[in-house]
Amino acid sequence: MNGFSALLKRDLKLAYRQASDSLTVLAFFVLATVLFPLAVGPEPAILARIGAGVVWVAALLAAMLSMDRMFQSDYDDGTLELLVIAPAPLELCVLAKACAHWLTTGVPLIVAAPLMGLFLNLDPAGYGTLLLALALGTPSLSLIGAVGAALVLGARRGGALLSLLILPLFVPVLIFGVGAVEAALTDISARPQLFVLGALTLAALALTPWPAAAALRQAVE
Amino acid sequence: MHRFANPTRFVALARAVQPWAMTIALATLFAGLWFGLLASPPDYQQGETVRIMYVHVPAAWMAMFCYTGMAGASAVALVWKHAVAHVTARATAPIGAAFTFLALVTGSLWGKPMWGTWWVWDARLTSVLILFFLYLGYMALENAFDDRARGQRAAAILAIVGAVNVPIIKFSVDWWNTLHQPASVVRLDGPSIHPSMLTPLILMAVGYTAFYIWVLCLRVRADINMSKVRALKLRNA
Amino acid sequence: MAVFSGRDLGCERGERLVFEDVSFDIPGGGVTELRGANGSGKSTLLRMMAGLLAPTDGTILWNNIPVSEDADAHRARINYIGHLDGVKGMLTVTENLRFWGELTRGQQTDKQIRDRADLALATFGIAKLADLPARSLSAGQRRRTALARLIMRPALIWLLDEPATALDTSALAALDHAMAAHLGAGGIVVMATHEAIRQPTPKVDLDEFARRAAAKHRAAA
């Protein structure tokens, strides 16, 4: 666990010193959400109907935006080589990086989500479920994103490529994330969706470190 | 000539299989289309549009089959570091993507008379669409590196990750679809199928598979010849 | 005494044969230089020794046991300084070193890591820069910081890729001094280099292996 805590500590320290990076992602999230009322019109009923979906899509895109940086700077400056040959297991390093990514982008998105709900005239009954769904779902975005970010290291046009690789894999999280809020709004229990979201995150936690570590090893080979 | 550029036995096998696959493909596709388009009765519900099914359903099967093959070959390539397995996976991707595209287009053409619109967010169409994106991602990643070995290793990992995800995506899309759109539409696979329709369907499926093997042999041989050429150029450089 | 050796190593990169049939035996307590023209594969061989790259052919052995049998134990033996410095610009020099110490801490306490960092700073004459962010360092100072990682963690085998790049005479002397101490304790140093740092040293000459392989191919043809 030494490697995990050392890397997490370092990444959080770096994120704190480059706080504008996290704030940019947050600003993107807010802006992307604000575009929807401008595009579909300001009728409260329509906005309330699409609100949960819009928040989730904007969160997905915002998380995507910051993902290609997850390993890029370590790859560029040679730290990644050191991580690969360090005695600490590389899979734990991946978990530390994904965890740092979630803490620096996922958590701010969750915190900002209620404000977006307000903008979109979301029914008050949906707020709790929206936050819970985001809290359960966004960690899996960071984990799946880690695989994609590791795969595109050294590729031409990595950012655009990453979205092509990762967005299809985000589909289940999106469907169940939005589904949970819609269930809550129609007075059906949202528990099945929340359970599935939790299961997706647990599965991602157990499965993604291996392909991500394999991708990192072959990236520095 | 070093090993990578010279998987002799595989090339010999591909060369031997290729004419057979071509013959079977052409014969069954011709027979299948004749039975499907001319010699079978129209469906009592769907009318003549049912004939699209003979092109569509086997294409959708092949879309899945090719992805499975691609992921399997990728796993072999990563575990046993077998160069030919990489080549097979790489050669399969565009064929699979073409079948997926065919399934999407024919599904859409079939949807117009049946559902009155070109595109319906039917669970099957949606999952096939996402599968199409998975193929595109694989091909884009494979070609995104200056070092070809890097591209094929990264793409192999992606193919395996994708294969694990396909059932999850399928499950979530089915779930999403039943929630948003009660299953009232006529499904492509009707209640039960009449033998006169089964014959062309099976012929077409065999034909597609043989076509896949034919094109695969062709692509693998071309790919190996290309890498021989590159290796020779590098040696003489 | 421990022996680090390679048998019939071959490497293909991007369908190009970089080298073949390279063998070496490096006993403890000595420096070995990797010599060869540009493109002869010095860095590649060094990366192979570090475990970043699997040999296409042949085996790397530690005391006549293939290192691939226990990759973790091999990683614990290696200190690798590559082309890239692996220094994070947003962290101070001390933080960079301590991160590396914590990542590979083993049984060391925080106090021991802090002491080691001080020792490493002093060894490479960068104690005065300790609290500067690394982005403000010169190329030579960054290289010194990278080399200081050698002190942060005890490891038997030092693999140095062009360690003298951007170093001035006082830094070269510091490196010589650090290597002497390491060799005195029975360690191994392998370095790819153009300039001779200490003379005379045993050499692994990749050009020589390439000539032999070419002669073999001519005889076969």
Side-chain angles (χ1 to χ4, degrees):
Chain A
M1 293 308 280
N2 291 335
F4 181 86
S5 57
L7 197 54
L8 181 62
K9 206 176 96 187
R10 188 208 67 168
D11 269 19
L12 291 179
K13 199 184 277 179
L14 283 173
Y16 176 71
R17 291 195 189 159
Q18 299 163 318
S20 65
D21 289 8
S22 298
L23 290 175
T24 310
V25 172
L26 197 58
F28 174 87
F29 173 60
V30 175
L31 196 62
T33 315
V34 167
L35 287 180
F36 278 89
L38 297 178
V40 302
E43 291 96 90
I46 295 181
L47 292 180
R49 169 68 193 80
I50 62 169
V54 170
V55 171
W56 264 102
V57 169
L60 236 59
L61 294 177
M64 270 281 321
L65 192 69
S66 56
M67 232 155 238
D68 66 323
R69 299 301 304 162
M70 205 190 284
F71 299 107
Q72 190 67 46
S73 72
D74 283 342
Y75 177 75
D76 291 338
D77 67 20
T79 311
L80 192 58
E81 290 181 354
L82 298 174
L83 292 178
V84 169
I85 51 173
L90 193 55
E91 286 78 9
L92 269 185
C93 292
V94 170
L95 279 182
K97 298 288 285 184
C99 188
H101 179 265
W102 183 69
L103 289 173
T104 53
T105 57
V107 170
L109 295 184
I110 297 171
V111 172
L115 182 64
M116 298 304 101
L118 203 71
F119 279 173
L120 294 166
N121 193 35
L122 188 70
D123 192 301
Y127 279 86
T129 316
L130 176 67
L131 292 188
L132 200 55
L134 281 170
L136 283 171
T138 44
S140 71
L141 302 185
S142 295
L143 287 161
I144 298 170
V147 180
L151 283 173
V152 300
L153 282 177
R156 299 185 294 267
R157 55 184 193 278
L161 184 59
L162 180 64
S163 49
L164 183 58
L165 305 189
I166 289 304
L167 285 179
L169 305 183
F170 282 174
V171 164
V173 180
L174 176 68
I175 287 176
F176 287 99
V178 178
V181 184
E182 293 197 342
L185 291 179
T186 45
D187 284 335
I188 313 169
S189 167
R191 284 173 62 133
Q193 287 88 334
L194 293 174
F195 280 138
V196 174
L197 276 179
L200 287 174
T201 294
L202 285 179
L205 195 63
L207 296 177
T208 54
W210 276 271
L216 291 179
R217 283 195 191 96
Q218 63 90 29
V220 297
E221 189 168 283
Chain B
M1 193 63 57
H2 54 94
R3 282 173 305 118
F4 183 90
N6 200 15
T8 325
R9 280 171 57 194
F10 193 83
V11 171
L13 180 72
R15 190 177 294 163
V17 169
Q18 195 181 319
W20 289 98
M22 183 182 77
T23 315
I24 296 172
L26 291 178
T28 49
L29 283 179
F30 183 77
L33 284 176
W34 188 78
F35 273 111
L37 301 184
L38 302 168
S40 68
D43 187 72
Y44 74 101
Q45 263 187 327
Q46 305 181 11
E48 299 290 345
T49 51
V50 75
R51 302 189 192 285
I52 295 176
M53 187 185 81
Y54 303 123
V55 181
H56 172 85
V57 172
W61 288 343
M62 288 308 289
M64 285 306 300
F65 175 78
C66 287
Y67 199 89
T68 315
M70 197 171 86
S74 298
V76 170
L78 285 182
V79 174
W80 288 287
K81 308 217 182 292
H82 206 302
V84 172
H86 271 308
V87 178
T88 309
R90 181 166 64 218
T92 299
I95 313 176
F99 278 124
T100 315
F101 186 70
L102 185 65
L104 282 174
V105 169
T106 49
S108 165
L109 287 174
W110 183 82
K112 182 63 181 166
M114 298 316 294
W115 296 328
T117 170
W118 292 112
W119 185 264
V120 168
W121 290 97
D122 167 68
R124 281 159 189 255
L125 282 180
T126 311
S127 357
V128 173
L129 182 66
I130 294 171
L131 184 66
F132 185 61
F133 285 123
L134 290 179
Y135 274 114
L136 290 188
Y138 175 92
M139 292 190 285
L141 184 64
E142 214 254 299
N143 288 309
F145 295 88
D146 295 328
D147 176 1
R148 286 165 51 86
R150 277 277 272 120
Q152 64 190 20
R153 283 196 307 262
I157 296 174
L158 179 71
I160 294 167
V161 172
V164 174
N165 265 281
V166 164
I168 304 176
I169 293 174
K170 180 90 177 78
F171 159 72
S172 58
V173 168
D174 282 346
W175 185 91
W176 164 79
N177 192 252
T178 47
L179 184 77
H180 283 266
Q181 189 180 308
S184 61
V185 288
V186 186
R187 297 276 172 171
L188 285 183
D189 51 350
S192 67
I193 198 159
H194 191 268
S196 67
M197 297 163 105
L198 198 59
T199 312
L201 200 58
I202 287 177
L203 279 173
M204 290 300 285
V206 172
Y208 278 9
T209 313
F211 177 81
Y212 163 67
I213 295 171
W214 170 26
V215 179
L216 181 71
C217 288
L218 201 67
R219 290 184 59 86
V220 166
R221 285 175 57 199
D223 194 302
I224 289 172
N225 283 336
M226 286 296 285
S227 57
K228 272 186 195 169
V229 170
R230 273 193 304 274
L232 278 174
K233 276 186 182 163
L234 281 169
R235 268 167 69 93
N236 296 337
Chain C
M1 184 164 277
V3 184
F4 185 45
S5 46
R7 288 283 163 274
D8 308 322
L9 295 170
C11 177
E12 280 168 19
R13 300 285 277 170
E15 297 169 340
R16 191 175 77 93
L17 192 62
V18 182
F19 53 72
E20 56 184 326
D21 294 333
V22 171
S23 300
F24 58 85
D25 285 294
I26 301 169
V31 183
T32 298
E33 284 182 37
L34 290 184
R35 282 294 176 95
N38 291 340
S40 62
K42 297 188 295 294
S43 295
T44 307
L45 182 56
L46 214 53
R47 294 168 71 82
M48 219 175 241
M49 292 175 177
L52 278 168
L53 179 64
T56 317
D57 286 306
T59 24
I60 293 178
L61 306 126
W62 175 252
N63 284 336
N64 298 317
I65 298 165
V67 295
S68 52
E69 280 180 16
D70 192 350
D72 287 340
H74 184 61
R75 282 203 292 271
R77 279 193 288 270
I78 296 286
N79 256 332
Y80 168 78
I81 307 291
H83 273 296
L84 298 165
D85 291 328
V87 173
K88 277 267 174 279
M90 292 302 284
L91 299 180
T92 67
V93 173
T94 315
E95 282 169 337
N96 267 299
L97 291 178
R98 283 193 195 157
F99 163 63
W100 183 239
E102 285 165 21
L103 190 75
T104 60
R105 81 160 63 206
Q107 302 303 319
Q108 297 186 84
T109 61
D110 283 347
K111 169 91 170 62
Q112 282 168 319
I113 289 173
R114 278 198 302 276
D115 291 346
R116 263 191 186 275
D118 292 340
L119 175 66
L121 291 168
T123 307
F124 284 92
I126 43 178
K128 269 190 246 165
L129 310 171
D131 294 323
L132 285 183
R135 64 169 184 274
S136 60
L137 300 184
S138 74
Q141 288 167 333
R142 288 176 80 98
R143 197 67 184 155
R144 288 181 188 225
T145 310
L147 288 169
R149 270 204 309 270
L150 292 169
I151 310 295
M152 284 311 295
R153 163 168 175 259
L156 260 176
I157 307 174
W158 287 8
L159 303 173
L160 312 178
D161 198 351
E162 307 282 359
T165 310
L167 292 188
D168 58 17
T169 41
S170 76
L172 283 176
L175 177 59
D176 244 8
H177 192 68
M179 286 199 318
H182 177 59
L183 296 169
I188 287 175
V189 177
V190 183
M191 59 182 171
T193 181
H194 291 302
E195 300 118 287
I197 292 186
R198 30 169 58 225
Q199 291 284 358
T201 52
K203 293 178 183 59
V204 175
D205 191 339
L206 288 166
D207 291 341
E208 184 56 38
F209 281 106
R211 275 194 292 278
R212 261 187 252 165
K216 201 179 80 184
H217 285 303
R218 268 198 306 277

PDB file of all heavy atoms in Angstrom, chain B residues 34-51:
ATOM      1  N   TRP B  34     -30.950 -15.926 -54.148  1.00  0.00           N
ATOM      2  CA  TRP B  34     -32.001 -16.378 -55.066  1.00  0.00           C
ATOM      3  C   TRP B  34     -33.206 -16.883 -54.284  1.00  0.00           C
ATOM      4  O   TRP B  34     -34.332 -16.469 -54.529  1.00  0.00           O
ATOM      5  CB  TRP B  34     -31.448 -17.464 -55.986  1.00  0.00           C
ATOM      6  CG  TRP B  34     -32.424 -17.832 -57.060  1.00  0.00           C
ATOM      7  CD1 TRP B  34     -32.696 -17.138 -58.203  1.00  0.00           C
ATOM      8  CD2 TRP B  34     -33.298 -18.970 -57.071  1.00  0.00           C
ATOM      9  NE1 TRP B  34     -33.663 -17.750 -58.923  1.00  0.00           N
ATOM     10  CE2 TRP B  34     -34.056 -18.886 -58.259  1.00  0.00           C
ATOM     11  CE3 TRP B  34     -33.495 -20.044 -56.191  1.00  0.00           C
ATOM     12  CZ2 TRP B  34     -35.013 -19.846 -58.592  1.00  0.00           C
ATOM     13  CZ3 TRP B  34     -34.441 -21.002 -56.525  1.00  0.00           C
ATOM     14  CH2 TRP B  34     -35.198 -20.894 -57.719  1.00  0.00           C
ATOM     15  N   PHE B  35     -32.931 -17.744 -53.285  1.00  0.00           N
ATOM     16  CA  PHE B  35     -34.038 -18.246 -52.450  1.00  0.00           C
ATOM     17  C   PHE B  35     -34.695 -17.100 -51.699  1.00  0.00           C
ATOM     18  O   PHE B  35     -35.916 -17.001 -51.607  1.00  0.00           O
ATOM     19  CB  PHE B  35     -33.523 -19.272 -51.439  1.00  0.00           C
ATOM     20  CG  PHE B  35     -33.473 -20.670 -51.982  1.00  0.00           C
ATOM     21  CD1 PHE B  35     -32.268 -21.301 -52.212  1.00  0.00           C
ATOM     22  CD2 PHE B  35     -34.651 -21.356 -52.251  1.00  0.00           C
ATOM     23  CE1 PHE B  35     -32.222 -22.587 -52.706  1.00  0.00           C
ATOM     24  CE2 PHE B  35     -34.611 -22.638 -52.753  1.00  0.00           C
ATOM     25  CZ  PHE B  35     -33.387 -23.259 -52.985  1.00  0.00           C
ATOM     26  N   GLY B  36     -33.863 -16.228 -51.148  1.00  0.00           N
ATOM     27  CA  GLY B  36     -34.380 -15.179 -50.270  1.00  0.00           C
ATOM     28  C   GLY B  36     -35.177 -14.134 -51.026  1.00  0.00           C
ATOM     29  O   GLY B  36     -36.256 -13.712 -50.599  1.00  0.00           O
ATOM     30  N   LEU B  37     -34.656 -13.709 -52.174  1.00  0.00           N
ATOM     31  CA  LEU B  37     -35.290 -12.590 -52.863  1.00  0.00           C
ATOM     32  C   LEU B  37     -36.359 -13.035 -53.857  1.00  0.00           C
ATOM     33  O   LEU B  37     -37.280 -12.278 -54.151  1.00  0.00           O
ATOM     34  CB  LEU B  37     -34.223 -11.749 -53.581  1.00  0.00           C
ATOM     35  CG  LEU B  37     -33.142 -11.152 -52.687  1.00  0.00           C
ATOM     36  CD1 LEU B  37     -32.209 -10.255 -53.478  1.00  0.00           C
ATOM     37  CD2 LEU B  37     -33.746 -10.377 -51.525  1.00  0.00           C
ATOM     38  N   LEU B  38     -36.220 -14.241 -54.396  1.00  0.00           N
ATOM     39  CA  LEU B  38     -37.144 -14.645 -55.459  1.00  0.00           C
ATOM     40  C   LEU B  38     -37.979 -15.866 -55.097  1.00  0.00           C
ATOM     41  O   LEU B  38     -39.196 -15.881 -55.305  1.00  0.00           O
ATOM     42  CB  LEU B  38     -36.353 -14.944 -56.744  1.00  0.00           C
ATOM     43  CG  LEU B  38     -35.503 -13.768 -57.274  1.00  0.00           C
ATOM     44  CD1 LEU B  38     -34.550 -14.242 -58.341  1.00  0.00           C
ATOM     45  CD2 LEU B  38     -36.413 -12.667 -57.783  1.00  0.00           C
ATOM     46  N   ALA B  39     -37.340 -16.897 -54.535  1.00  0.00           N
ATOM     47  CA  ALA B  39     -38.011 -18.190 -54.443  1.00  0.00           C
ATOM     48  C   ALA B  39     -38.709 -18.449 -53.114  1.00  0.00           C
ATOM     49  O   ALA B  39     -39.149 -19.556 -52.855  1.00  0.00           O
ATOM     50  CB  ALA B  39     -37.006 -19.310 -54.721  1.00  0.00           C
ATOM     51  N   SER B  40     -38.770 -17.455 -52.224  1.00  0.00           N
ATOM     52  CA  SER B  40     -39.481 -17.705 -50.972  1.00  0.00           C
ATOM     53  C   SER B  40     -40.733 -16.833 -50.906  1.00  0.00           C
ATOM     54  O   SER B  40     -40.792 -15.780 -51.539  1.00  0.00           O
ATOM     55  CB  SER B  40     -38.565 -17.423 -49.778  1.00  0.00           C
ATOM     56  OG  SER B  40     -38.310 -16.041 -49.705  1.00  0.00           O
ATOM     57  N   PRO B  41     -41.735 -17.271 -50.144  1.00  0.00           N
ATOM     58  CA  PRO B  41     -42.989 -16.508 -50.090  1.00  0.00           C
ATOM     59  C   PRO B  41     -42.825 -15.252 -49.239  1.00  0.00           C
ATOM     60  O   PRO B  41     -41.993 -15.226 -48.330  1.00  0.00           O
ATOM     61  CB  PRO B  41     -43.942 -17.488 -49.401  1.00  0.00           C
ATOM     62  CG  PRO B  41     -43.058 -18.335 -48.542  1.00  0.00           C
ATOM     63  CD  PRO B  41     -41.742 -18.437 -49.256  1.00  0.00           C
ATOM     64  N   PRO B  42     -43.608 -14.190 -49.520  1.00  0.00           N
ATOM     65  CA  PRO B  42     -43.600 -13.023 -48.628  1.00  0.00           C
ATOM     66  C   PRO B  42     -44.231 -13.387 -47.293  1.00  0.00           C
ATOM     67  O   PRO B  42     -45.046 -14.300 -47.205  1.00  0.00           O
ATOM     68  CB  PRO B  42     -44.435 -11.992 -49.392  1.00  0.00           C
ATOM     69  CG  PRO B  42     -45.233 -12.772 -50.370  1.00  0.00           C
ATOM     70  CD  PRO B  42     -44.474 -14.020 -50.678  1.00  0.00           C
ATOM     71  N   ASP B  43     -43.849 -12.677 -46.255  1.00  0.00           N
ATOM     72  CA  ASP B  43     -44.380 -12.925 -44.918  1.00  0.00           C
ATOM     73  C   ASP B  43     -45.831 -12.466 -44.853  1.00  0.00           C
ATOM     74  O   ASP B  43     -46.202 -11.478 -45.483  1.00  0.00           O
ATOM     75  CB  ASP B  43     -43.540 -12.150 -43.897  1.00  0.00           C
ATOM     76  CG  ASP B  43     -43.932 -12.489 -42.476  1.00  0.00           C
ATOM     77  OD1 ASP B  43     -43.607 -13.615 -42.045  1.00  0.00           O
ATOM     78  OD2 ASP B  43     -44.561 -11.640 -41.825  1.00  0.00           O
ATOM     79  N   TYR B  44     -46.666 -13.192 -44.063  1.00  0.00           N
ATOM     80  CA  TYR B  44     -48.080 -12.821 -44.040  1.00  0.00           C
ATOM     81  C   TYR B  44     -48.305 -11.501 -43.321  1.00  0.00           C
ATOM     82  O   TYR B  44     -49.293 -10.821 -43.543  1.00  0.00           O
ATOM     83  CB  TYR B  44     -48.924 -13.943 -43.413  1.00  0.00           C
ATOM     84  CG  TYR B  44     -48.808 -14.065 -41.924  1.00  0.00           C
ATOM     85  CD1 TYR B  44     -49.820 -13.546 -41.091  1.00  0.00           C
ATOM     86  CD2 TYR B  44     -47.717 -14.689 -41.335  1.00  0.00           C
ATOM     87  CE1 TYR B  44     -49.716 -13.659 -39.725  1.00  0.00           C
ATOM     88  CE2 TYR B  44     -47.616 -14.794 -39.976  1.00  0.00           C
ATOM     89  CZ  TYR B  44     -48.611 -14.287 -39.162  1.00  0.00           C
ATOM     90  OH  TYR B  44     -48.514 -14.386 -37.825  1.00  0.00           O
ATOM     91  N   GLN B  45     -47.369 -11.128 -42.448  1.00  0.00           N
ATOM     92  CA  GLN B  45     -47.504  -9.850 -41.746  1.00  0.00           C
ATOM     93  C   GLN B  45     -46.678  -8.754 -42.407  1.00  0.00           C
ATOM     94  O   GLN B  45     -47.126  -7.646 -42.595  1.00  0.00           O
ATOM     95  CB  GLN B  45     -47.007 -10.007 -40.311  1.00  0.00           C
ATOM     96  CG  GLN B  45     -48.107 -10.267 -39.309  1.00  0.00           C
ATOM     97  CD  GLN B  45     -47.552 -10.226 -37.903  1.00  0.00           C
ATOM     98  OE1 GLN B  45     -46.397 -10.598 -37.666  1.00  0.00           O
ATOM     99  NE2 GLN B  45     -48.357  -9.797 -36.968  1.00  0.00           N
ATOM    100  N   GLN B  46     -45.417  -9.097 -42.710  1.00  0.00           N
ATOM    101  CA  GLN B  46     -44.473  -8.063 -43.124  1.00  0.00           C
ATOM    102  C   GLN B  46     -44.436  -7.879 -44.632  1.00  0.00           C
ATOM    103  O   GLN B  46     -43.809  -6.939 -45.115  1.00  0.00           O
ATOM    104  CB  GLN B  46     -43.069  -8.403 -42.633  1.00  0.00           C
ATOM    105  CG  GLN B  46     -43.010  -8.627 -41.132  1.00  0.00           C
ATOM    106  CD  GLN B  46     -41.601  -8.938 -40.667  1.00  0.00           C
ATOM    107  OE1 GLN B  46     -40.646  -8.798 -41.404  1.00  0.00           O
ATOM    108  NE2 GLN B  46     -41.485  -9.367 -39.430  1.00  0.00           N
ATOM    109  N   GLY B  47     -45.028  -8.788 -45.370  1.00  0.00           N
ATOM    110  CA  GLY B  47     -45.011  -8.667 -46.827  1.00  0.00           C
ATOM    111  C   GLY B  47     -43.615  -8.874 -47.386  1.00  0.00           C
ATOM    112  O   GLY B  47     -42.804  -9.620 -46.840  1.00  0.00           O
ATOM    113  N   GLU B  48     -43.337  -8.128 -48.470  1.00  0.00           N
ATOM    114  CA  GLU B  48     -42.066  -8.320 -49.162  1.00  0.00           C
ATOM    115  C   GLU B  48     -40.873  -7.845 -48.328  1.00  0.00           C
ATOM    116  O   GLU B  48     -39.743  -8.266 -48.549  1.00  0.00           O
ATOM    117  CB  GLU B  48     -42.084  -7.574 -50.515  1.00  0.00           C
ATOM    118  CG  GLU B  48     -43.157  -8.040 -51.485  1.00  0.00           C
ATOM    119  CD  GLU B  48     -42.883  -9.431 -52.043  1.00  0.00           C
ATOM    120  OE1 GLU B  48     -41.731  -9.903 -51.902  1.00  0.00           O
ATOM    121  OE2 GLU B  48     -43.817 -10.045 -52.593  1.00  0.00           O
ATOM    122  N   THR B  49     -41.133  -6.915 -47.392  1.00  0.00           N
ATOM    123  CA  THR B  49     -39.995  -6.355 -46.642  1.00  0.00           C
ATOM    124  C   THR B  49     -39.262  -7.413 -45.837  1.00  0.00           C
ATOM    125  O   THR B  49     -38.125  -7.209 -45.442  1.00  0.00           O
ATOM    126  CB  THR B  49     -40.467  -5.259 -45.675  1.00  0.00           C
ATOM    127  OG1 THR B  49     -41.539  -5.782 -44.914  1.00  0.00           O
ATOM    128  CG2 THR B  49     -40.865  -4.016 -46.399  1.00  0.00           C
ATOM    129  N   VAL B  50     -39.905  -8.556 -45.633  1.00  0.00           N
ATOM    130  CA  VAL B  50     -39.249  -9.617 -44.867  1.00  0.00           C
ATOM    131  C   VAL B  50     -37.947 -10.050 -45.539  1.00  0.00           C
ATOM    132  O   VAL B  50     -37.051 -10.579 -44.905  1.00  0.00           O
ATOM    133  CB  VAL B  50     -40.205 -10.809 -44.678  1.00  0.00           C
ATOM    134  CG1 VAL B  50     -40.329 -11.598 -45.978  1.00  0.00           C
ATOM    135  CG2 VAL B  50     -39.708 -11.706 -43.558  1.00  0.00           C
ATOM    136  N   ARG B  51     -37.861  -9.795 -46.855  1.00  0.00           N
ATOM    137  CA  ARG B  51     -36.670 -10.249 -47.575  1.00  0.00           C
ATOM    138  C   ARG B  51     -35.404  -9.544 -47.093  1.00  0.00           C
ATOM    139  O   ARG B  51     -34.303 -10.062 -47.241  1.00  0.00           O
ATOM    140  CB  ARG B  51     -36.859 -10.035 -49.075  1.00  0.00           C
ATOM    141  CG  ARG B  51     -38.078 -10.758 -49.614  1.00  0.00           C
ATOM    142  CD  ARG B  51     -38.136 -10.726 -51.119  1.00  0.00           C
ATOM    143  NE  ARG B  51     -39.442 -11.179 -51.600  1.00  0.00           N
ATOM    144  CZ  ARG B  51     -39.813 -12.445 -51.606  1.00  0.00           C
ATOM    145  NH1 ARG B  51     -38.976 -13.373 -51.170  1.00  0.00           N
ATOM    146  NH2 ARG B  51     -41.012 -12.797 -52.029  1.00  0.00           N
TER     147      ARG B  51
END
